[in-house]
Amino acid sequence: MTTQKNAPALFDRALIVPAIRDAFIKLDPRTLARNPVIFITALVSLLATVLFVHDIFGSGQNLLFSAQVIIWLWFTVLFANFAEAIAEGRGKAQAASLRKTQTQTIAKVLVSPGSDSTRNVPASQLKVGDVVLVRTGDLIPGDGEIIEGVATVDESAITGESAPVIRESGGDRSAVTGGTRVLSDVIKVRITAAAGSSFLDRMISLVEGASRKKTPNEIALNILLAGMSLIFVFATASIPSFATYAGGSISVIVLVALFVTLIPTTIGALLSAIGIAGMNRLVRFNVLAMSGRAVEAAGDVDVLLLDKTGTITLGNRQAAEFAVMPGVTEAELADAAQLSSLSDETPEGRSVVVLAKEKYGLRGRDLASLNARFIPFTAQTRMSGVDIDGRVIRKGAIDSITEYVQRIGGQHAVPKELKEIADRIARAGGTPLAVAEGDRVLGVIYLKDIVKGGIRERFAELRRMGIKTVMITGDNPLTAAAIAAEAGVDDFLAQAKPEDKLALIRKEQAEGKLVAMCGDGTNDAPALAQADVGVAMQTGTQAAREAGNMVDLDSDPTKLIEVVGIGKQLLMTRGALTTFSIANDVAKYFAIIPAMFAAIYPQLNSLNLMHLATPQSAILSAIIFNALIIIALIPLALRGVKYRPVGAGPLLARNLLVYGVGGLVAPFIGIKLIDLAISAIGLV
Amino acid sequence: MTINGWIQILIYFALLTALTRPVGGYLYRVFNGERILLSRPLGWLERGFYRCAGVDSQTEQSWISYTLAMLAFNLVCFVALFLLLLAQGHLPFNPQGFGALTPDLAFNTAISFVTNTNWQSYGGETTMSYGTQMLGLTVHNFVSAATGIGLALALVRGFARRSASTIGNFWVDLTRATLYVLLPISIVAALFLIWQGMPQNLSAYTNALTLEGVKQTIAQGPVASQVAIKMLGTNGGGFFNANAAHPFENPTALSNFLQILLIFLIPAGLTNTFGRMVKSELQGWALYSAMSVLFLVGVATCYWAESQGNPQLTTMGISQPIGNMEGKETRFGVANSTLFATITTDASCGAVNAMHDSFTPLGGLVPMVNMMLGEVIFGGVGAGLYGILLYALIAVFIAGLMVGRTPEYLGKKIEAREIKLTMLAILCLPLSILGFTAVSSVLSQGLAGLANTGPHGFSEMLYAYTSATANNGSAFAGLTANTPFYNVTLGIAMLIGRFAFIVPMMATAGALAAKKYTPPSAGTFPTTGGLFIALLVGVIVIVGGLTFFPAIALGPIVEHLAILTGKAY
């Protein structure tokens, strides 16, 4: 169902070179200041560098060692910048392909709404409320709403879907997107987004990370990391006094090395890359989020409201059976049903014709030659049908046909079997459609809702994630219950009106739950706005698209499930790397503390569990490990920790084992290996 | 280690576990305002207090009002005690005719008792009159403990309530804690201790002539009444300088057992009260289990280390079958001394029945680490619960992210504000402990107080500031703390450890109370199982360990390693 665009390779040459350049550009203090942990790292690196320069001209000792530590300190900062740059670079690559479509177009703005005379205005100067004329072959100059006309539009630029779509004024398919091309006909479009804030613009700035705001959880995590860093400020700043007490001294460079290895640089460095990558993953799924906050909220969703039609069931109900009244043959009913449906272009109507042909070999007949008059469905009669050769055939909902037949045939014209059969069909999840000829009820067409294949498994998956699914349908409760059971949703809302949807969301929210829903129509807009995560369909109205905080370009309502997964993955990746980062500190202490006090308390070498060669090699190994681990974890940050739809307990146990225990053990091995390497080369 | 020693430790733990639920239930009913057995005899007194003070017991306070009321109350307590100590010479119940305390000692002592620390820079029997002990110190043993209980309840109400603006009434909590919990238990305990041979009189000290013909002054006084609340309120301030090692302050094995039981009684019970308030006793048992794990590991380590004896003596070929007995009372032995030491430092009690200074380096490390972890292993009355709840917030935040949801604890989402406040509270520990130790280890005023050199001297300073900041009050001895420098800096450390922690903690309570409740789902990480307990223990140990590792390495660890090579300090 989902059309996932190919992700660029993790380390594409074309991405790496500019990312390296950007890593240096990002040394700008204003950029660094956005990330507290890395900012502190840069600050102490600068301090160490200044002292080093001072030492060169003074009576500096161990200059080679100091120089190496300082180089790795700066690498730590650069690697962090690189991680962010590469995530942004991947986004930019995505954005570039989007931008190709955003060529400068000239819009034909109507001079006055009534007239057809236009003046040419560059698309970049369009204002909200301008009405533009778009002809066959023109690019639509900006996001807007069709106020007049019907057109086929090629939206492949944003959806990747090559088949053109129909857009028309009024109704639920009136929104058009800037950068898409009109293939036929002429439309008048009222511009709804100013230049620079159109859909495409927003999409580009989102994937590039330019308009990225920190999400609530990211802010909280940043505070935690800053707090941890402060703890390590106290831990390291108190060491010189302790050393003085013990009758020795510790060089600043060693203190700086200890401090930088202790503060959570790993997660600090990768935090923004994780956020940008999450957004990119979403865009690759063809979902456009208006903010990172919405993506994060998706991970927290407790309740998912899904429209039945098109999401849980195939959009169209299909005729599955002709159920006859006493004294009527099936062929007779099939004949009448087919005749009444020949001009009915709805999918349901066509399926009746198909069933009649398959089961009774009734071929299509030319209504015109039969001198028939087709009666279309109206909201007043709630029936459709045909008058042909004096036969008056009507089909419609049970109660409308009952009322119709009783009106012309009297109270007892309707056989009691009608209600029985109708109830049986409804209980099975179908929709009964009665057929009558004159005052005689012939029988019932069983319109069956077809539940999408595989949807049941997906709902089971959601249940394991702890998400409740609620099906929204206009059907009566009986039908709704049957389909709900077949599809495996947790709950349903039957005979739902748009305001019921809103009320349900409010009720769930009042219980403290986060609600996600998707919708397309204008009457969905209030509910989309109320929901914590509202995914609007690209095919929907502008009102719906404005109200939601995400837009699905594929208009696939089941995409919500992917969105939830991406939101969870985002949080998990942050948590996993934070745990890893903090757990790493244990090994770093065991590397640096004995080395630091080697001159004062040689006994502490018992804590040198890794048997690192010399105090200097120990310190250098720790700082090198600390820098390299950032690079090593970039792929994980970009890809995200794999999310498995299991309960929270097993999920946490697994992640704690991998990232907690792994984080304890990995640096012991890594630092030892680096120590072996640098001792072998003889760097210190 | 002996089987006998372990049996005593396990009997203690079993009895504590058995008492947790009944005590927790009692506390729950008391603070919920339900009718209890004591309502009839004492209810009129409670209502009388409210009427006198003009407190409407039905009106609740916001976190700000609650905190301000608590701070105002404590300020008044501090000033009153400070003045009392300065005026001691003119006050009654002073048969020995003790004079006024120096201003710096009075400052230190007043803060010490108001903050429930009970650090003592003085020797009780040579400094304090009976009047001061009863009117000053014992009173604060009650109210500082009651304050702690109130604060813990306020935080728990923050978790338990939904979209609420109030978290209880400080005056009501204070009154109920004193009247229905601390006083009745203390009276019963004091009578028990008197039966065990503890003095309770107002007589002047007895002068005796020993068999060797040496004159000896036998100190006494209203001991039992102060000792009961000293333990129950996890205060720990000894009547005598030798604290619970003094035969009058801890005469028998039975009195010793009762005292250590009293230390953990309310902190353990409060975990259950917490569970009841958040409508899941399992939540309380989870905290109880995490505390128990840390407690038992501490006891085992300390007991093991002390049973090994002094490594230096061992290398000299001297066998020490009963372990390191230096600084320990023979009537308690290694098992009960290490059990007492672990309990008194787990809870922020600080009473001692053996000299921690004389423990082996590793044995002495346990009490120090217990305090550095923030006094959350049962902890001080109330203080232990609110301390571990803040750790739980951090643990759930880090781990909660790993299940892919905004972390939540007890249905409350943990967001930036809570993390900020929690970190603020947790940060005061290293700031005060490491900061003051660093300062005193380079200043001559600091170094002047040391009895030993090298790492052991360092441990003495580190222990003192850790004890003060953690509001424990136990001393590593050795350190001469009654100097203006130590009195003032330790006083400030106690203030930071108590109030700089409490204010952000209360703000967290307010923020939590205002939050909506999110019902748990399959996607919510359950905070009642073994995984949560392991996680909480892990976070407490790792956060505490990472913070203090360099300091510990330079104190007890280096000393231990040096002793192994035959070098003592």
Side-chain angles (χ1 to χ4, degrees), chain A residues 209-532:
Chain A
S211 68
R212 209 176 78 83
K213 285 206 186 70
K214 286 193 182 119
T215 57
N217 274 311
E218 201 177 347
I219 293 170
L221 187 54
N222 255 318
I223 292 170
L224 179 85
L225 297 180
M228 295 293 295
S229 304
L230 259 180
I231 288 182
F232 292 124
V233 168
F234 302 146
T236 40
S238 56
I239 288 179
S241 307
F242 299 169
T244 309
Y245 169 85
S249 70
I250 307 287
S251 73
V252 175
I253 195 85
V254 173
L255 281 175
V256 166
L258 175 68
F259 176 67
V260 170
T261 49
L262 288 181
I263 60 173
T265 46
T266 316
I267 176 67
L270 298 172
L271 201 52
S272 54
I274 295 169
I276 297 168
M279 204 59 113
N280 290 352
R281 267 200 298 283
L282 205 60
V283 173
R284 278 208 304 284
F285 273 106
N286 267 345
V287 177
L288 176 57
M290 302 299 168
S291 69
R293 180 187 275 264
V295 186
E296 208 174 75
D300 285 349
V301 160
D302 302 289
V303 181
L304 210 55
L305 302 191
L306 295 164
D307 275 323
K308 183 199 76 176
T309 310
T311 309
I312 295 168
T313 59
L314 293 172
N316 317 316
R317 287 174 290 204
Q318 289 173 3
E321 184 193 329
F322 294 121
V324 293
M325 292 295 112
V328 182
T329 64
E330 280 194 35
E332 201 179 339
L333 172 59
D335 178 63
Q338 189 230 29
L339 279 173
S340 69
S341 303
L342 278 173
S343 280
D344 186 352
E345 281 303 317
T346 63
E348 286 88 354
R350 260 175 280 160
S351 77
V352 172
V353 177
V354 170
L355 183 70
K357 182 180 168 187
E358 280 174 357
K359 267 191 143 172
Y360 304 101
L362 292 176
R363 305 198 52 88
R365 287 165 280 193
D366 184 7
L367 281 179
S369 67
L370 286 171
N371 190 23
R373 194 169 68 87
F374 181 62
I375 315 291
F377 179 86
T378 67
Q380 282 76 40
T381 62
R382 291 165 61 232
M383 292 182 297
S384 65
V386 66
D387 294 344
I388 183 168
D389 297 341
R391 295 168 70 186
V392 180
I393 304 172
R394 292 289 180 275
K395 74 170 200 280
I398 300 294
D399 46 348
S400 12
I401 291 289
T402 303
E403 198 186 312
Y404 166 79
V405 171
Q406 280 174 347
R407 201 172 59 237
I408 55 176
Q411 280 299 315
H412 304 288
V414 180
K416 64 179 190 313
E417 287 82 359
L418 178 65
K419 196 174 153 25
E420 285 165 16
I421 292 174
D423 280 352
R424 171 179 66 83
I425 292 172
R427 262 196 304 277
T431 308
L433 210 57
V435 181
E437 188 172 345
D439 62 355
R440 186 162 159 254
V441 180
L442 298 178
V444 180
I445 305 170
Y446 179 176
L447 286 180
K448 195 174 181 184
D449 253 320
I450 310 293
V451 171
K452 283 185 179 175
I455 198 91
R456 202 185 163 83
E457 288 70 32
R458 305 212 73 176
F459 289 144
E461 201 173 277
L462 283 169
R463 197 168 305 119
R464 284 198 299 275
M465 288 182 186
I467 296 169
K468 185 174 114 178
T469 44
V470 180
M471 181 181 84
I472 312 282
T473 169
D475 293 339
N476 65 59
L478 237 73
T479 312
I483 296 174
E486 190 182 344
V489 292
D490 297 312
D491 204 351
F492 63 89
L493 184 67
Q495 284 166 345
K497 296 183 289 294
E499 56 269 31
D500 295 339
K501 226 187 250 188
L502 190 62
L504 179 66
I505 294 176
R506 289 226 172 97
K507 182 177 143 270
E508 295 284 357
Q509 285 174 337
E511 288 170 16
K513 292 180 181 153
L514 250 63
V515 184
M517 70 160 285
C518 52
D520 51 7
T522 300
N523 54 21
D524 282 334
L528 277 172
Q530 178 72 32
D532 300 284

Side-chain angles (χ1 to χ4, degrees), chain B residues 32-53:
Chain B
N32 217 17
E34 290 174 24
R35 268 197 87 76
I36 46 165
L37 197 62
L38 291 171
S39 301
R40 188 180 293 271
L42 294 176
W44 63 273
L45 201 55
E46 184 193 348
R47 289 186 295 275
F49 279 133
Y50 297 148
R51 246 196 311 282
C52 288

Side-chain angles (χ1 to χ4, degrees), chain B residues 155 390 393 417-418 421-422 503-513:
Chain B
L155 179 61
L390 291 197
L393 286 183
R417 185 176 164 79
E418 292 74 55
L421 293 166
T422 303
V503 173
M505 182 280 290
M506 287 298 284
T508 312
L512 287 170

